[in-house]
């Protein structure tokens, strides 16, 4: 009892002093803040940030050098940095004026490494060939400078550098970024070094964090806190969790695509490609996904340059998030993709490896990636797009073909089988639905692999279709005959990446035709037992790969939900078909 009373006394005295200080501050016009309003960000989850490791002193950040290699036809071929974002870690809600303080410490063993902390007010949209920047501030130690980079959407980028005092270089550097009205105040070790105009980078009120170091470098993020700067301001923090459909949502989902399929066509998965950033930052996206689909394909997160950015560095976090989400929501997972000629990091394409070295690189990659998801990923696009766009010949440009010739296909399948003997292994390609040279060549390839006892279980028909004034996609009946000969080889088949691009005419009439076309292909898949999945390449036009990267405000029109996540006629026609 005595102790309690004493505690209380202390508490009230503490408050009384704060109260007095408060009155003084209010008189000065700055208001009053309770020290308890300060929030700790390093107490939150940093274990899901690629390259990060939680240690006693803070979070050790390793530089993965993850970058996006632009498409072959881009003018500028310089890789674009794509540092990891802590999507399952702290999310900070802010109102009014606030300060973020961080201690960035270089390690004695590597004092020259650069150290970065990025605070995102709007996350980027990351595809595998391009990245549409959102809004963010990066604080970094580079050489003897503190650098401050402001990113305000695409192509609006500002960089400042301030010399670090000697004291800041020998130990850790305390850096703080305060938003005060419409300016940022930057401080190094409690000295204000700059006031910069803020173009509204944190107007969303929701902040995300990312950290990285120079490639192969490392540093220690020793502290990270946030606090409001006056009484009208607020900061609150929580860890972002993997979204799971609630029990009520489950019940109300009885007519969703996945539920109808589970009831009426239990062998057929209804799948879609999924991206990690919207999955973890757009609640509506995650909810539709869990409600409507029974299978996910990571759209980019498992591609080579995303998941294996350096010879010995892996960035599994985004793929893990998708896999964890799928498992938490009882969905199957189709892995994409292991041996492809695209999405390769420069460390693979830009070096003079011997054939044997390339073979070893692919074997190690497959063992590591398939091994990690063994038992969780049911099937894989082991080989993606082995043929020329519309031709019968194999693409020869990839390092895999260059080192092994056409044998790379059997090699990749065997390595994947070795890493997970239970997984179903596919070759996946586009423009296969038409009978013709490309599908003939795929058929011949599959046949010869099977004859040689290579573990191939299925073929993925991507079905990226166009529907325009002068072009109509292949009819379902034509596709039916064509697919049958693959099934006759004893293979499974899947619709793996369907979208129907209406290009510049998405009139009601066209949306209706799109709906009918989707339905005709789903009906085919429902009808033929060898089809294991009907999968679209994304589900909402908002994040569709049909959006061209230079059209920041544009969206695609080929999927079954519109850019506001509303179901389109195509959605309803699939729903109707599945009711049968
Ligand atoms: O949708 C993907 C896009 O975000 C990437 O930038 C692009 C390159 O990696 O790949 C897109 O997905 C492709 C898939 O991996 C293979 N088939 C064609 C898909 C659509 O272009």
């Amino acid at each position: 009892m005595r102790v309690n009373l004493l505690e209380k006394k202390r508490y009230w005295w503490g408050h009384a002093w704060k109260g007095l200080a408060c009155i003084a501050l209010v008189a000065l016009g700055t208001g009053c803040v309770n020290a308890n309003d300060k929030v700790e960000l390093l107490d939150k989850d940093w274990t899901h940030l690629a390259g990060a490791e939680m240690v006693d002193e803070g979070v050790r950040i390793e530089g993965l050098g993850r970058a996006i290699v632009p498409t072959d036809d881009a003018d500028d071929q310089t890789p674009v940095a794509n540092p990891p974002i802590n999507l399952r870690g702290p999310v900070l809600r802010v109102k009014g004026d606030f300060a973020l303080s961080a201690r960035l410490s270089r390690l004695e063993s590597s004092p020259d490494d650069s150290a970065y902390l990025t605070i995102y007010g709007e996350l980027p949209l990351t595809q595998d060939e391009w990245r549409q920047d959102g809004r963010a501030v990066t604080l970094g130690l580079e050489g003897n400078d503190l650098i401050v980079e402001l990113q305000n959407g695409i192509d609006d980028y500002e960089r400042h550098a301030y010399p670090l005092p000697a004291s800041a270089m020998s130990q850790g550097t305390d850096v703080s970024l305060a938003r005060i009205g419409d300016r940022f105040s930057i401080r190094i070790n409690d000295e204000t070094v700059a006031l910069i105009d803020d173009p509204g980078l944190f107007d969303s009120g929701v902040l995300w964090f990312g950290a990285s170091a120079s490639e192969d470098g490392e540093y220690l993020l020793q502290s990270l806190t946030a606090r409001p700067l006056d009484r009208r301001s607020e900061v609150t923090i929580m860890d972002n969790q993997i979204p799971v459909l609630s029990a009520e949502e489950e019940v109300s989902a009885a007519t969703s695509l996945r539920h109808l399929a589970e009831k009426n066509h239990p062998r057929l998965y209804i799948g879609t490609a999924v991206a990690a950033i919207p999955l973890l930052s757009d609640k509506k996206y995650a909810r539709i996904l869990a409600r409507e689909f029974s299978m996910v394909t990571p759209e980019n997160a498992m591609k080579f340059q995303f998941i294996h950015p350096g010879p010995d560095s892996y960035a599994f976090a985004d793929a893990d998030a998708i896999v964890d989400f799928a498992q938490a929501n009882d969905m199957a997972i189709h892995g994409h993709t292991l041996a492809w000629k695209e999405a390769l990091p420069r460390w693979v394409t830009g070096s003079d490896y011997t054939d044997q070295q390339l073979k070893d690189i692919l074997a190690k990659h497959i063992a590591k990636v398939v091994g990690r998801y063994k038992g969780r990923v049911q099937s894989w696009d082991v080989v993606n797009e082995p043929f020329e766009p519309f031709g019968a010949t194999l693409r020869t440009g990839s390092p895999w073909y260059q080192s092994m010739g056409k044998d790379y296909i059997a090699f990749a399948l065997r390595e994947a089988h070795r890493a997970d003997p239970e997984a179903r292994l596919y070759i996946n390609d586009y423009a296969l639905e038409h009978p013709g040279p490309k599908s003939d060549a795929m058929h011949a390839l599959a046949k010869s692999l099977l004859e040689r006892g290579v573990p191939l279980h299925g073929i993925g028909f991507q079905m990226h279709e166009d529907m325009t004034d002068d072009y109509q996609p292949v009819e379902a009946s034509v596709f039916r005959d064509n697919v049958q000969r693959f099934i006759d080889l004893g293979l499974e088949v899947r619709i793996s990446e369907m979208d129907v691009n209406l290009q510049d005419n998405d009139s009601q009439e066209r949306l209706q035709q799109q709906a009918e076309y989707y339905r005709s292909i789903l009906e085919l898949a429902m009808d033929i037992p060898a089809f294991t999945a009907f999968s679209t390449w994304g589900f909402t036009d908002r994040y569709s790969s049909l959006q061209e990267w230079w059209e920041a405000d544009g969206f695609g029109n080929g999927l079954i939900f519109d850019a506001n996540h509303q179901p389109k006629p195509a959605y309803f026609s699939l729903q109707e078909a599945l009711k049968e």
Side-chain angles (χ1 to χ4, degrees):
M1 187 55 87
R2 260 174 72 88
V3 176
N4 276 350
L5 273 175
L6 257 177
E7 287 290 343
K8 258 195 183 159
K9 238 180 179 170
R10 282 209 197 107
Y11 179 82
W12 285 115
W13 269 111
H15 271 260
W17 282 117
K18 269 187 212 145
L20 287 177
C22 238
I23 293 166
L25 283 171
V26 170
L28 285 170
T30 53
C32 171
V33 192
N34 188 335
N36 295 333
D37 293 342
K38 178 164 130 182
V39 297
E40 289 287 342
L41 282 87
L42 291 194
D43 287 355
K44 301 289 164 197
D45 189 347
W46 291 78
T47 59
H48 292 101
L49 173 66
E53 188 193 350
M54 286 174 103
V55 293
D56 289 346
E57 305 86 2
V59 183
R60 206 180 63 86
I61 304 290
E62 187 198 332
L64 301 178
R66 194 170 72 166
I68 291 176
V69 178
T71 44
D72 290 347
D73 49 1
D75 294 341
D76 188 353
Q77 285 295 311
T78 322
V80 178
N82 185 24
I85 304 167
N86 194 5
L87 294 169
R88 290 164 82 176
V91 179
L92 189 71
R93 293 190 184 268
V94 292
K95 236 168 83 182
D97 294 348
F98 64 94
L100 278 164
S101 307
R103 169 166 274 229
L104 277 52
S105 303
R106 284 154 156 169
L107 302 179
E108 260 170 44
S109 50
S110 47
D112 300 326
D113 292 349
S114 300
Y116 303 99
L117 172 71
T118 301
I119 306 117
Y120 298 86
E122 185 186 296
L123 292 168
L125 233 173
T126 311
Q127 304 268 354
D128 183 46
E129 295 161 322
W130 46 268
R131 172 180 159 116
Q132 259 180 21
D133 281 301
R135 301 171 130 207
V137 178
T138 296
L139 303 170
L141 306 183
E142 270 182 16
N144 296 340
D145 289 332
L146 168 75
I147 60 117
V148 179
E149 287 177 2
L150 271 49
Q151 181 76 50
N152 184 20
I154 304 173
D155 291 339
D156 185 348
Y157 169 81
E158 205 178 297
R159 182 185 157 102
H160 306 265
Y162 309 101
L164 290 168
S167 61
M169 283 185 292
S170 50
Q171 312 114 26
T173 309
D174 288 319
V175 187
S176 107
L177 167 82
R179 176 176 76 180
I180 303 171
D182 51 12
R183 287 204 292 190
F184 288 127
S185 153
I186 310 291
R187 290 162 80 92
I188 306 175
N189 291 359
D190 280 337
E191 294 272 344
T192 302
V193 293
L195 288 172
I196 308 174
D197 287 340
D198 167 21
L201 298 186
F202 299 145
D203 283 358
S204 67
V206 182
L207 308 191
W208 304 79
F209 296 84
S212 62
S214 38
E215 192 165 352
D216 297 326
E218 55 184 354
Y219 85 97
L220 192 66
L221 179 58
Q222 251 187 315
S223 75
L224 183 60
T225 58
R227 64 193 163 90
L229 290 177
D230 58 39
R231 267 242 288 256
R232 292 177 306 268
S233 303
E234 279 170 31
V235 299
T236 49
I237 182 101
M238 53 156 208
D239 263 331
N240 196 30
Q241 305 286 337
I242 289 287
V244 182
L245 219 57
S246 69
E248 301 90 82
E249 283 173 316
E250 282 273 4
V251 172
S252 70
T255 57
S256 72
L257 304 182
R258 75 175 283 182
H259 282 269
L260 290 172
E262 276 158 11
K263 192 162 136 240
N264 300 331
H265 306 275
R267 112 197 107 71
L268 191 68
Y269 285 117
I270 305 296
T272 181
V274 175
I277 290 180
L279 178 67
L280 287 155
S281 63
D282 180 340
K283 294 212 158 50
K284 206 162 173 196
Y285 175 96
R287 221 171 278 141
I288 298 175
L289 180 58
R291 196 185 63 213
E292 300 293 340
F293 297 92
S294 52
M295 179 175 247
V296 297
T297 304
E299 180 173 0
N300 290 310
M302 289 180 172
K303 287 179 183 168
F304 208 127
Q305 69 173 341
F306 256 69
I307 207 164
H308 193 169
D312 295 308
S313 59
Y314 295 86
F316 289 119
D318 289 355
D320 284 355
I322 296 173
V323 169
D324 290 348
F325 170 85
Q327 291 201 302
N329 290 284
D330 200 16
M331 304 160 98
I333 303 145
H334 179 78
H336 177 88
T337 175
L338 301 165
W340 191 23
K341 86 153 229 319
E342 287 181 38
L344 295 171
R346 285 281 192 259
W347 74 266
V348 172
T349 53
S351 308
D352 286 329
Y353 292 115
T354 62
D355 292 351
Q356 186 58 44
Q357 282 170 323
L358 283 166
K359 202 170 167 182
D360 293 345
I361 288 171
L362 184 61
K364 185 174 159 208
H365 175 78
I366 292 176
K368 188 88 180 179
V369 176
V370 176
R372 182 176 182 91
Y373 299 109
K374 182 175 177 203
R376 294 195 283 166
V377 168
Q378 285 79 355
S379 50
W380 281 96
D381 288 330
V382 176
V383 178
N384 196 43
E385 302 173 359
F387 289 101
E388 288 293 345
F390 297 97
T393 49
L394 287 172
R395 291 178 197 253
T396 55
S398 73
W400 320 130
Y401 188 97
Q402 296 278 313
S403 55
M404 289 171 258
K406 66 176 177 3
D407 288 344
Y408 86 90
I409 296 174
F411 178 77
L413 286 160
R414 288 201 174 104
E415 293 303 307
H417 185 64
R418 194 205 309 268
D420 184 356
E422 301 295 318
R424 309 300 287 169
L425 308 181
Y426 281 74
I427 303 180
N428 184 49
D429 212 330
Y430 58 86
L432 286 182
E433 52 281 17
H434 307 263
K438 185 163 181 173
S439 104
D440 289 350
M442 179 65 98
H443 186 264
L445 171 68
K447 188 160 178 279
S448 94
L449 290 167
L450 292 172
E451 281 165 2
R452 286 155 55 206
V454 177
L456 169 71
H457 307 116
I459 302 292
F461 292 77
Q462 293 185 3
M463 305 221 60
H464 290 289
E465 306 296 339
D466 283 277
M467 187 177 265
T468 64
D469 289 343
D470 25 58
Y471 184 82
Q472 287 294 311
V474 67
E475 275 180 35
S477 57
V478 177
F479 177 36
R480 178 187 284 267
D481 293 341
N482 191 36
V483 81
Q484 189 56 48
R485 54 190 184 135
F486 289 87
I487 299 169
D488 291 344
L489 292 176
L491 290 166
E492 301 170 0
V493 286
R494 59 196 305 274
I495 306 290
S496 56
E497 305 188 4
M498 187 163 178
D499 51 22
V500 182
N501 190 353
L502 300 178
Q503 308 235 359
D504 47 12
N505 178 0
D506 58 357
S507 61
Q508 276 310 315
E509 189 193 349
R510 226 2 101 60
L511 287 169
Q512 208 52 52
Q513 286 169 10
Q514 183 186 48
E516 279 154 29
Y517 188 64
Y518 263 111
R519 181 180 178 143
S520 69
I521 300 300
L522 173 62
E523 280 174 347
L524 183 69
M526 288 178 345
D527 209 30
I528 301 180
F531 270 98
T532 58
F534 172 85
S535 199
T536 55
W537 203 240
F539 58 93
T540 163
D541 288 336
R542 173 163 291 262
Y543 310 117
S544 159
S545 70
L546 294 173
Q547 180 200 342
E548 303 292 355
W549 71 270
W550 57 88
E551 285 176 15
D553 304 326
F555 297 109
N557 58 24
L559 296 173
I560 64 174
F561 287 81
D562 70 17
N564 297 314
H565 299 336
Q566 294 304 311
K568 289 162 64 174
Y571 170 83
F572 294 112
S573 72
L574 295 181
Q575 192 184 40
E576 279 309 307
L578 287 166
K579 282 183 184 159
E580 283 159 18

